[in-house]
Amino acid sequence: MPDLTPGVPSALSPLVRRVVAPNPGPFTGPGTNTYLVGIDEVAVIDPGPDVKSHIDAIVGASMKERVRWVVLTHTHPDHAPGTARLVKATRAEVVAFGKHRDKDCDIVPDRVIGEGDTLEGSEWGLEVLHTPGHAPNHLCLLLEEERVLFTGDTVLDGMYSVVNPSRGGDMAVYVQTLERLRRLRLTRLCPGHGDVIEEPRARIDEYLAHRKQRGQQILRLVRKRGPVKVKEIVDTLYGSDRLPPELIEAAGWQVHAHLVELKAEGKVAGTNARAAWSAA
Ligand SMILES: [Zn+2]
C-alpha cells in the first residue's frame, strides 16, 4: 500500500507519484494529494497549501528543472496556495481554468486551459475536462497513457465531496459531472484527498446513489414537516449529536445544495440557507 504519510513521495505507477500535504482534517482526510506526472518533464497537479516542507518535498521528488507545469484542478485554499512558492523554486508555468476565479484566490494562470485542451509532456499527455459542481472552475485531468483520472475534489476516497452553494457549488451540475465521468473508460481515480480508487465506476455509482438518496430524503422531510429549516433537516438526517461541529456546517451546505436543486425542479420553495423551506 503506497504511503499516505505527509512529505513521503510514493510511486503510484510508472508515470505518477504522489506527495501528501501535512494538512489532515475532516475535509482533507490524510491531507491534500499533490501528484507529479512524468519523469523527464513533470506536471505537478495541485501544489496544495503554502507549506514550505510540502513544497520542498514536491521539489525533492523530482529534479526541480524538470518541473515544467503547475496544474490546478481548482482554486480552493487546500489545493492552490502553494503555487507561488513552487513556481519560485521551479519556474514552472501555471496552467489553470481562467473563468470563475475564486474570491479568496489571487492566482493568475500563465496559461488558461479548459474543456478539450491537452497538456503534452515528452512521454505523456493530459486531457483537460471541465467538471463543475464542486466549484465552477473545477477541472479533472485524464492521463491518456494510463487512463487515470485526477479528480481533484469531484470524487474522493473515504468521504463525500462537499457542494457548497455559497461558494459556487451546484448540486444539479455536480450530478451531471458525475454522470459524465461515469461514462469514461478509466482504470483508476487519483483523488484530491485519500488513496487511489481502483474501481472508478463503482465509486462514482456510490456517489450518484448517495446524492439521489439524500435528495429524496430531504424532499420527503420537507413534504412531511415543512416549513422546515436547513438546521432541522441536518439534525434529522445526519444526527448532529454524532458529528463534529465543522461537519455539521458542511452537512448544512449539502442540504442547502439539494434544496436549491429541488427548487429548480419545482418541488420545494424557499430562499436561502437560513430560511424555512416548504413543499411547492
Ligand atoms: Zn475544493
Side-chain angles (χ1 to χ4, degrees):
M1 180 65 82
D3 207 326
L4 279 160
T5 309
V8 180
S10 51
L12 304 178
S13 77
L15 284 173
V16 180
R17 285 161 291 156
R18 176 185 63 203
V19 183
V20 180
N23 62 338
F27 299 118
T28 52
T32 301
N33 291 326
T34 296
Y35 294 101
L36 289 82
V37 177
I39 307 297
D40 295 332
E41 289 189 304
V42 174
V44 173
I45 299 177
D46 287 349
D50 183 22
V51 175
K52 186 176 181 301
S53 64
H54 181 57
I55 304 302
D56 287 349
I58 298 170
V59 174
S62 241
M63 276 184 269
K64 66 181 177 189
E65 64 277 10
R66 293 188 175 178
V67 178
R68 299 281 310 277
W69 303 276
V70 177
V71 188
L72 302 176
T73 61
H74 64 307
T75 47
H76 280 168
D78 52 333
H79 289 256
T83 300
R85 193 183 290 272
L86 183 59
V87 166
K88 205 172 164 204
T90 61
R91 301 193 189 166
E93 182 185 24
V94 179
V95 184
F97 196 68
K99 286 186 212 154
H100 308 294
R101 295 247 322 273
D102 196 281
K103 63 182 188 320
D104 302 330
C105 174
D106 55 5
I107 294 167
V108 180
D110 299 312
R111 186 180 359 156
V112 169
I113 50 168
E115 177 66 32
D117 286 336
T118 50
L119 197 64
E120 304 267 348
S122 52
E123 68 232 296
W124 50 265
L126 283 171
E127 185 185 331
V128 180
L129 288 76
H130 181 215
T131 51
H134 170 77
N137 63 6
H138 199 289
L139 302 175
C140 291
L141 289 313
L142 176 61
L143 177 60
E144 291 159 349
E145 285 69 19
E146 298 181 359
R147 303 298 301 172
V148 166
L149 189 72
F150 299 92
T151 60
D153 277 354
T154 298
V155 183
L156 305 173
D157 167 54
M159 58 191 154
Y160 288 103
S161 301
V162 171
V163 177
N164 181 358
S166 69
R167 295 204 61 179
D170 184 314
M171 188 60 80
V173 170
Y174 177 66
V175 168
Q176 283 166 19
T177 285
L178 290 178
E179 280 166 353
R180 178 190 177 193
L181 298 183
R182 189 190 177 282
R183 290 193 296 271
L184 299 176
R185 186 173 53 82
L186 301 170
T187 57
R188 303 166 113 186
L189 306 178
C190 285
H193 306 279
D195 212 342
V196 174
I197 296 162
E198 301 285 357
E199 295 189 40
R201 192 159 291 170
R203 182 63 175 155
I204 296 169
D205 279 344
E206 197 183 329
Y207 260 49
L208 282 165
H210 180 72
R211 294 275 59 100
K212 191 172 171 193
Q213 186 196 28
R214 277 283 184 248
Q216 287 168 346
Q217 286 172 329
I218 291 165
L219 180 58
R220 271 201 300 274
L221 210 74
V222 173
R223 283 183 173 152
K224 199 167 128 198
R225 291 220 219 130
V228 59
K229 291 193 170 184
V230 167
K231 189 184 171 309
E232 297 169 64
I233 299 174
V234 170
D235 288 345
T236 307
L237 290 188
Y238 292 76
S240 299
D241 46 334
R242 296 194 303 269
L243 287 180
E246 59 271 30
L247 289 183
I248 294 173
E249 194 185 3
W253 301 335
Q254 301 292 68
V255 168
H256 181 210
H258 277 294
L259 288 167
V260 171
E261 183 185 25
L262 290 166
K263 183 180 175 179
E265 292 169 356
K267 293 173 180 164
V268 303
T271 51
N272 60 47
R274 283 173 303 280
W277 291 69
S278 26

